[in-house]
Amino acid sequence: MSLEESWSTTDIQEESGKARRPPFHQSGFDPQTGIYHSLHQLGESLRIPTRHDLDTASYVLSQFPHPDNAESRVALIDLATDHRLSYASLHRSIRALASGLYHGLRVRKGDVVLVVSPNTILYPTICLAIFSIGAILSPANPINTESELAKQILDSGAKLIISAPEELHKLNQNGVPIVLTTRITNDSNSVSIEELIECCDPVESPQVRIMQSDTAAVLYSSGTTGTSKGVILTHANFIAIMTLLKWSVYATSSQNDVFLCFIPMFHIYGLAFFGLGLFCAGITTVLMQRFDLQAMLDAIKIHQVNNIPAVPPVILGLVKHASKLQCDLSSLRRVGSGAAPLSKELTQEFRLRFPWVELRQGYGLTESCAAATFFASDEQAKAHPGSCGRLVPTFTAKIVDFETGMALPPLKEGEVWLKSGTIMKGYLRNEEATAATLDSDGWLKTGDLGYFHEDGFLYIVDRIKELIKHNGYQVAPAELEAILLTHPQVLDAAVIPLEDEEAGQIPMAYVVRAASAELTEEQVIQFVASQVAPYKKVRRVSFISAIPKSAAGKILRKELVSHSKMQVNSKL
């Protein structure tokens, strides 16, 4: 059966005596191929470079402000120290560090450099210096345990570690040379990035021939639903995403805007946006080492911040707590949300509390170099609450029925597949996982359940693997979490599957109560039951002090599933 034949007869109606074609042309959907195309264009002034011998660092540096303006134009501001780094100083630091890594530490093309550090004003310099000599960046979460870091070191084949001094104790037993990010007083045996930048000559930065097809980075996915895997991203992937980010900034912001960064740069969201992308637009970024709500509010006031790329827990924190904290958000014009789904309910509550602030959700994965969809205007975002926007330029997508493999038209739910120049090369030394995620035509199977609206706006329902199978029905945890968060006595919530002999699985909620709240399990169950179909009801509730989440704000459901099993076993 063709795609056209699969539409119901109600999709084609008579209007004024003429046959009306389905409105799918407005969605970018091609019924002949089943492919959705981006409704946005980069324009003549922005083109993704096609030159083969081009690396990420060279591309970024070529986008810096003109030398006449580079000394006065501020690239980064350290919130803690107020240290300011101009674009000219950043350029010199990158070249000096590249010289030190190559000539001093003998790092060569193809060598993997593991970086273990929270956000620091040095982080972009470290990443771009590594890229410029053809080495491979592998950033790690600094809160990872010793064994988790050891696993990444072994799996990535790291030849050098760059570590914050406070993380050194977790790394000394791996036999890999270590360079500290900052110098330690009275320690003559250690080498630091600061010292390499100070003592090495930028003019001696090596000229290494690097191809766009070469591996630039190996990022390890958060592993929220399984074992983390090394995502291989090429220089072509990063150059494509930086061009797209530059386009999105030009479409929504001014070069005089000030951005605030608390998204960790070891995550693709933080790395692509703050470690690379914003430099291509000449933007000034205020940098926070770690997120703190009050510190964020203070930073907005002090530095007159206009833009905050954020994650859902931050949006939730603003909605639940900002009215109780001292803050002046008058300079704030735009908040973006990514890395995890943002519910329609939370979006609407945010708009009620902060009506002058634009809120736009986006969608991407580590495997797509953080890109996929985007809102070009606040009017679009308001008209489509709960959506994560339209496909960005150069992207195509499919919605695939995971039982029949058929590509689906608008308003039909299925697995989201993506294709673009930002899609990963594969998983490091994991052919089985790569084959399961990338098909032979280069389509990335995201594992996300979603659908396109008739106007081309994408809605993500949930992760397919996280859907709860209850008596043959599929229940999306994200839908129930969105409802729970509307309760005035609920600060945070997560829903997981709990095994059940009769139903297969039942929805179980973990709830963080507001201080002094006397909310009971039965009250939570009834609150949700009054708003959903019977099969979606929450059937078990456990109160918890905090919902475990990744650095990007994704709920770590596997931790809660393990916790629920321990609870069940303890009662047996």
Side-chain angles (χ1 to χ4, degrees):
M1 181 169 60
S2 70
L3 287 167
E4 291 90 342
E5 290 172 330
S6 72
W7 300 332
S8 68
T9 55
T10 57
D11 288 328
I12 303 178
Q13 302 172 351
E14 292 296 317
E15 187 173 83
S16 301
K18 297 180 180 180
R20 181 174 66 84
R21 63 172 293 189
F24 298 157
H25 62 288
Q26 298 175 14
S27 67
F29 179 69
D30 182 347
Q32 299 299 321
T33 62
I35 295 174
Y36 294 83
H37 297 266
S38 174
L39 299 171
H40 296 296
Q41 300 296 322
L42 280 176
E44 291 298 323
S45 61
L46 279 176
R47 294 288 184 188
I48 296 175
T50 56
R51 203 182 95 199
H52 295 301
D53 56 338
L54 181 64
D55 66 273
T56 304
S58 296
Y59 177 78
V60 173
L61 293 175
S62 73
Q63 304 297 304
F64 272 25
H66 189 275
D68 292 343
N69 302 318
E71 287 288 2
S72 60
R73 188 73 189 168
V74 176
L76 292 164
I77 302 173
D78 188 315
L79 180 64
T81 65
D82 201 41
H83 176 59
R84 294 163 187 250
L85 191 67
S86 70
Y87 273 91
S89 295
L90 178 59
H91 191 292
R92 287 191 293 270
S93 295
I94 293 165
R95 290 303 188 197
L97 181 56
S99 176
L101 291 174
Y102 188 87
H103 297 298
L105 299 178
R106 314 298 294 175
V107 178
R108 293 293 182 263
K109 181 179 179 180
D111 287 348
V112 175
V113 180
L114 189 83
V115 179
V116 188
S117 172
N119 284 356
T120 164
I121 203 166
L122 290 170
Y123 212 112
T125 297
I126 293 168
C127 296
L128 287 163
I130 291 169
F131 290 147
S132 73
I133 60 175
I136 299 170
L137 169 71
S138 187
N141 188 338
I143 69 169
N144 280 357
T145 64
E146 183 176 347
S147 61
E148 288 171 328
L149 290 170
K151 180 182 176 183
Q152 184 170 338
I153 292 166
L154 180 63
D155 191 68
S156 66
K159 298 292 180 64
L160 178 71
I161 299 171
I162 298 175
S163 172
E166 61 269 23
E167 309 304 333
L168 187 59
H169 67 283
K170 295 186 286 188
L171 298 162
N172 281 324
Q173 305 304 315
N174 291 285
V176 179
I178 299 174
V179 176
L180 300 178
T181 53
T182 55
R183 62 172 59 88
I184 298 178
T185 307
N186 300 323
D187 184 358
S188 58
N189 295 320
S190 64
V191 177
S192 73
I193 294 299
E194 285 182 330
E195 291 167 308
L196 287 173
I197 292 172
E198 289 172 3
C199 71
C200 295
D201 189 346
V203 177
E204 296 180 0
S205 178
Q207 300 299 311
V208 180
R209 191 165 189 261
I210 304 165
M211 309 301 287
Q212 285 207 45
S213 57
D214 289 336
T215 298
V218 177
L219 276 74
Y220 283 77
S221 61
S222 57
T224 54
T225 57
T227 304
S228 63
K229 299 179 286 291
V231 177
I232 303 172
L233 297 174
T234 66
H235 289 276
N237 294 149
F238 280 116
I239 290 168
I241 187 60
M242 285 184 288
T243 306
L244 295 174
L245 282 170
K246 185 175 181 179
W247 169 83
S248 70
V249 170
Y250 282 177
T252 61
S253 307
S254 162
Q255 192 181 51
N256 294 322
D257 281 1
V258 177
F259 282 68
L260 180 64
C261 171
F262 47 76
I263 303 293
M265 290 191 202
F266 61 78
H267 187 273
I268 187 60
Y269 187 4
L271 176 62
F273 211 96
F274 294 106
L276 304 170
L278 288 183
F279 298 136
C280 295
I283 294 292
T284 297
T285 297
V286 178
L287 188 67
M288 294 177 64
Q289 187 178 76
R290 291 182 176 88
F291 177 75
D292 175 82
L293 183 60
Q294 186 61 62
M296 179 190 76
L297 299 174
D298 292 341
I300 293 170
K301 179 181 179 180
I302 294 168
H303 294 282
Q304 293 295 285
V305 170
N306 313 117
N307 288 268
I308 303 178
V311 291
V314 175
I315 311 297
L316 179 63
L318 283 167
V319 168
K320 296 283 186 178
H321 299 294
S323 61
K324 305 171 189 176
L325 300 170
Q326 292 184 347
C327 59
D328 175 6
L329 302 182
S330 59
S331 67
L332 192 60
R333 293 202 312 273
R334 188 171 298 108
V335 173
S337 183
L342 187 67
S343 71
K344 176 181 178 180
E345 292 79 6
L346 185 54
T347 300
Q348 292 174 332
E349 184 66 22
F350 180 90
R351 292 187 184 281
L352 285 174
R353 289 181 179 268
F354 309 102
W356 69 93
V357 181
E358 298 178 3
L359 177 61
R360 305 184 192 180
Q361 186 175 186
Y363 168 66
L365 304 89
T366 304
E367 289 85 348
S368 69
C369 214
T373 64
F374 161 86
F375 274 112
S377 72
D378 195 47
E379 289 70 26
Q380 288 181 352
K382 287 179 178 177
H384 298 274
S387 169
C388 50
R390 285 172 166 165
L391 291 170
V392 298
T394 75
F395 264 80
T396 52
K398 288 182 184 179
I399 301 295
V400 179
D401 186 302
F402 30 84
E403 292 183 356
T404 66
M406 184 176 182
L408 301 173
L411 305 180
K412 302 290 186 180
E413 290 184 2
E415 184 178 14
V416 180
W417 289 20
L418 299 171
K419 195 174 188 181
S420 85
T422 71
I423 301 300
M424 70 169 182
K425 190 174 182 178
Y427 294 115
L428 184 67
R429 288 191 287 275
N430 196 331
E431 293 182 5
E432 182 180 351
T434 299
T437 306
L438 288 175
D439 80 353
S440 57
D441 293 323
W443 286 97
L444 173 69
K445 304 173 186 179
T446 68
D448 289 316
L449 178 68
Y451 66 92
F452 278 94
H453 188 267
E454 294 168 336
D455 290 329
F457 292 93
L458 178 64
Y459 290 77
I460 299 297
V461 178
D462 215 328
R463 291 288 296 169
I464 291 172
K465 289 182 179 179
E466 292 177 354
L467 292 176
I468 300 169
K469 310 299 193 303
H470 179 77
N471 282 331
Y473 291 101
Q474 293 183 338
V475 181
E479 179 185 357
L480 301 181
E481 288 158 3
I483 292 171
L484 286 165
L485 290 176
T486 64
H487 195 292
Q489 295 183 53
V490 173
L491 293 181
D492 206 355
V495 176
I496 63 165
L498 187 66
E499 299 303 317
D500 182 81
E501 286 187 8
E502 295 183 5
Q505 294 177 332
I506 59 173
M508 176 181 180
Y510 279 89
V511 171
V512 180
R513 286 180 287 205
S516 73
E518 297 181 356
L519 196 62
T520 66
E521 178 179 16
E522 185 57 31
Q523 287 172 328
V524 172
I525 291 173
Q526 290 304 318
F527 178 76
V528 175
S530 66
Q531 302 179 64
V532 299
Y535 70 89
K536 295 181 181 178
K537 287 169 51 177
V538 168
R539 286 166 164 77
R540 187 80 62 83
V541 177
S542 180
F543 295 102
I544 196 170
S545 59
I547 302 297
K549 294 179 182 178
S550 71
K554 294 181 181 179
I555 296 171
L556 299 175
R557 296 188 201 277
K558 63 181 181 181
E559 290 190 16
L560 293 174
V561 169
S562 297
H563 186 270
S564 69
K565 289 178 179 178
M566 289 174 59
Q567 284 183 308
V568 170
N569 291 336
S570 66
K571 293 178 181 178
L572 296 178

